[in-house]
Amino acid sequence: MATQLGRYLCANHPERPGHALCMACRKVVCQECATEWDGINYCVACLAERGKAAAPRSSLFGWITLLAASGLLFYASVHLMAWVGVFAASWR
Amino acid sequence: MTRASLSAIEVLDDSADAVTRVAAPWVGVLWLTALPLRLLQAHFIARVTDLGPSAALYGDHLRQLALAALGALLLSLWGRAVFVRACGLGLRPEPLSSRHILRVPAAGLACYVYSALLLETLFFALGWTIVALPLLIALAGLAAAALPLYERPGLVAPLRVLATQLGTRGTLAALVLVFATALLVAFVNLYFLFQLGFWLAGAVPGLDPTPWTPLLRIGHLRFVLVLSAGALLAVEPFWLGACVVYVHKLRARHTGEDLRLWFERLRSEAP
């Protein structure tokens, strides 16, 4: 792959031959600009983007809304299940 | 060069390997946690049928049964999360560590419980339409299989993850169809297994199985419900395994990991 990409030039350094293909933006990048993360090649910009996305963000608001919504859904499911049962029984 | 679309056969082949690899003890964990749910669901349907048109007078009783069944669903969701984690780690070449598998990330589990409860609510609200059932069943499997992709708690993020898994609808539809057939086959097999056991019991001296005859026939509702619960238990590990492989393959295609592995294999095979 490196020999094939060598025919292309790095998107950031036009004087350097291509070494890898960024799997996020599909740009050809040189050896210096390419970083393998989790077995996949990324350019510097996409790696920074992914790093930001992957950074663990503890969101208290997220937890509270998630637990509240789950509680409500649980309550709704219990009532719906009973209602569906009554409806199905009376329909027979 | 274009990549062939993800085929259901490929997913089923890989999932059979993954489930076989993690079968002991993780299928046992899945069954133990799913058994109370299936039996309570069967009991609920049997009670509703017994009550008939007077069921409306027993609202509190039915609500208590529904509460017990949904409580059992929470236990079953944990079991599914553990099994999915085992299957996901089973796809890697490294040896499996039980402690690592049991440590399900809290955010992932919370997102999964939320998605599963939402689908359960939709199931009760839309199940009667029949058309929505295959989609809800597919989404329920994908919600479990997407567990490693839920990175942080939130209301929209789990649904967005779930929506991205609906990439190749044809493959998903084929998988649902295959497993619906498998469910039917498992049901018939279990029925004949019961009949065989019943027939063999007749050969045991001093044991009279005659009183069981009216109970172990296809016209008996509780027997049919127990068979259905058994068939669901038998098929569930393979269904979840297929969903895990499907999500894994879809992600690999999205990130280009499959091309990297293919290229690595070509390089290792080259003289």
Side-chain angles (χ1 to χ4, degrees), chain A residues 82-83 85-86, chain B residues 44 47-48 50-66:
Chain A
W83 285 338
V86 170
Chain B
F44 180 83
R47 283 302 288 155
V48 163
D50 289 346
L51 291 171
S54 63
L57 304 172
Y58 297 88
D60 284 343
H61 173 61
L62 290 178
R63 256 192 302 278
Q64 280 167 1
L65 284 181

Side-chain angles (χ1 to χ4, degrees), chain A residues 52-65:
Chain A
K52 244 187 272 172
R57 275 181 281 181
S58 167
S59 156
L60 185 64
F61 179 73
W63 272 107
I64 291 170
T65 51

Side-chain angles (χ1 to χ4, degrees), chain B residues 142 146 149 160-168 172 246-247 250:
Chain B
L142 291 178
L149 308 180
R160 202 177 289 150
V161 167
L162 207 53
T164 55
Q165 307 310 315
L166 291 168
T168 48
L172 259 183
Y246 170 81
V247 168
L250 207 64

Side-chain angles (χ1 to χ4, degrees), chain A residues 1 39 63 66 77-78 81 85 89, chain B residues 44 48 52 70 121 153-154 260 263:
Chain A
M1 191 160 192
W63 272 107
L66 190 69
S77 295
V78 169
M81 189 173 174
Chain B
F44 180 83
V48 163
L70 284 154
T121 310
R260 188 186 66 80
F263 189 65

